Amino acid sequence: MDDPEKSLLLRKPLNEVKHGGGIKFVKGDQGYRAMRAFLEDYARIVKDGYPDAKSLPKKEARPAQFGTDVWLKLADTPPAWGDKLLQVSVYAWDESKKDWEAEPVATSDRVVWGKGKLWQHNLTLLAARGSDRAKAWAKGKPSLPRGRYLVKVHVDADGKLKKDWKAGLGEADYAGQAEVTSAWPEGYGRMTAVDAAKVTK
């Protein structure tokens, strides 16, 4: 594989090559980055790019990820977010510390539907590897308990992730946050909704 970027495993989900299923991810979103990283690594393996153990990439301390059918919606999004890639990070309330947890418990990203003033997508839950939370989710069905949560929003206003798939969203892309109390029911028709007007810095 000489050029991972041109793989059909990327071009079909991007709908650059028509396949009847529409767009599955866009350049720079979480799905694209995961697939692109796999293809880049695979291409290097095929070309014998790892001649010895020292050449292997170092393991990153990333949290364990758990897919869910729990949906979050941001309604009445402002025009400035229209058709931009938006990322949410969800933080749980730590009652013992009377503060938000330091690391997000869930994340998601998708392009805002500008005409409909709407963003919605299902959540991927996150837990530190080896933690009690990760062990519980691995054994059973990953879910979020009813309670208080903080939703932080980042918007790729300049399209930098499309230009550089390895780039991340940071302080310059921070659009604000909003608190929500939810039981996080499953299903597209039962999604937790947040008024985008309440997302403030």
Side-chain angles (χ1 to χ4, degrees):
M1 183 184 293
D2 294 326
D3 192 348
E5 188 175 10
K6 294 181 180 178
S7 169
L8 289 178
L9 292 174
L10 284 177
R11 299 189 66 211
K12 281 193 172 184
L14 289 169
N15 211 33
E16 292 179 352
V17 174
K18 302 299 180 183
H19 60 99
I23 297 173
K24 300 302 180 185
F25 53 55
V26 298
K27 284 186 177 180
D29 73 8
Q30 294 170 2
Y32 178 90
R33 294 201 303 272
M35 181 59 73
R36 179 70 182 271
F38 164 76
L39 291 170
E40 294 283 346
D41 189 49
Y42 177 75
R44 189 168 180 182
I45 292 172
V46 169
K47 296 176 183 177
D48 199 23
Y50 300 123
D52 51 47
K54 292 181 181 179
S55 303
L56 292 171
K58 294 181 179 180
K59 281 190 176 181
E60 296 183 30
R62 295 182 178 178
Q65 299 184 355
F66 302 86
T68 73
D69 192 32
V70 175
W71 286 71
L72 176 66
K73 173 170 68 176
L74 296 176
D76 200 20
T77 55
W81 297 0
D83 305 314
K84 307 294 184 183
L85 182 61
L86 181 150
Q87 173 185 295
V88 297
S89 301
V90 181
Y91 295 78
W93 177 255
D94 186 333
E95 184 61 30
S96 64
K97 296 181 179 179
K98 303 296 181 183
D99 200 359
W100 304 108
E101 292 185 1
E103 299 297 328
V105 71
T107 184
S108 188
D109 65 358
R110 199 172 200 179
V111 173
V112 176
W113 179 28
K115 186 176 180 181
K117 297 182 178 181
L118 178 68
W119 178 95
Q120 58 189 26
H121 207 218
N122 59 313
L123 297 177
T124 297
L125 304 191
L126 307 172
R129 295 183 184 277
S131 66
D132 290 343
R133 182 179 281 167
K135 291 175 183 177
W137 286 348
K139 289 180 181 178
K141 194 169 187 179
S143 62
L144 293 175
R146 177 188 293 273
R148 294 174 61 193
Y149 292 84
L150 187 68
V151 177
K152 291 188 177 182
V153 177
H154 288 77
V155 178
D156 186 7
D158 300 323
K160 67 177 181 180
L161 295 182
K162 187 175 182 180
K163 300 170 188 173
D164 179 5
W165 68 276
K166 292 184 178 180
L169 299 181
E171 279 189 36
D173 311 294
Y174 177 65
Q177 62 190 39
E179 185 176 330
V180 61
T181 298
S182 177
W184 302 104
E186 290 187 328
Y188 179 83
R190 304 176 66 203
M191 66 181 70
T192 296
V194 175
D195 183 352
K198 295 182 179 179
V199 175
T200 57
K201 293 184 179 180

